[in-house]
């Protein structure tokens, strides 16, 4: 597992240096849809590269989220250099 130093802020007092163990990284290319595990991720000014860079909107242009449509989590999103792929995740395949 990867290890990184991180400044931790206890409830009171000054920040202290602690050890964080990173066990997995997941990116969610489309906000509110399922994501995918990645071996590594780059960080830019917006956060993890390829994470939540897209969102789903209705015909009126309003964005949709799991808060109102929880089944959105059952759609997997995967992004490579040229293609965004959406597919049903395993639990969704049997749903009608």
């Amino acid at each position: 597992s990867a290890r990184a130093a991180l400044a931790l802020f206890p409830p009171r007092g000054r920040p202290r240096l602690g050890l964080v163990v990173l066990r997995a990284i997941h990116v969610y290319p489309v906000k509110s849809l399922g994501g995918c595990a990645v071996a590594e991720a780059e960080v830019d000014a917006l956060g993890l590269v390829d994470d939540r860079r897209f969102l789903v909107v209705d015909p009126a242009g309003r964005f949709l989220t799991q808060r109102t449509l929880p089944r959105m989590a059952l759609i997997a999103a995967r992004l490579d250099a040229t293609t965004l792929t959406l597919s049903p995740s395993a639990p969704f395949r049997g749903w009608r």
Side-chain angles (χ1 to χ4, degrees):
S1 61
R3 293 176 184 255
L6 178 72
L8 302 176
F9 291 88
R12 290 182 214 116
R14 299 186 323 209
R16 60 185 169 83
L17 192 61
L19 185 66
V20 174
V21 177
L22 182 62
R23 300 202 186 277
I25 304 171
H26 290 81
V27 294
Y28 299 82
V30 182
K31 182 171 176 52
S32 292
L33 298 189
C36 53
V38 294
E40 59 186 21
E42 293 181 38
V43 177
D44 65 13
L46 300 174
L48 293 178
V49 172
D50 298 334
D51 189 56
R52 295 172 180 91
R53 301 297 168 100
F54 301 92
L55 56 90
V56 179
V57 297
D58 67 11
R62 293 180 300 250
F63 68 92
L64 305 175
T65 71
Q66 286 182 33
R67 283 186 213 121
T68 56
L69 298 166
R71 285 183 276 185
M72 288 179 73
L74 300 176
I75 301 170
R78 183 173 225 59
L79 183 64
D80 66 26
T82 61
T83 307
L84 173 63
T85 304
L86 305 180
S87 59
S89 62
F92 185 75
R93 289 185 189 121
W95 176 79
R96 291 182 190 235

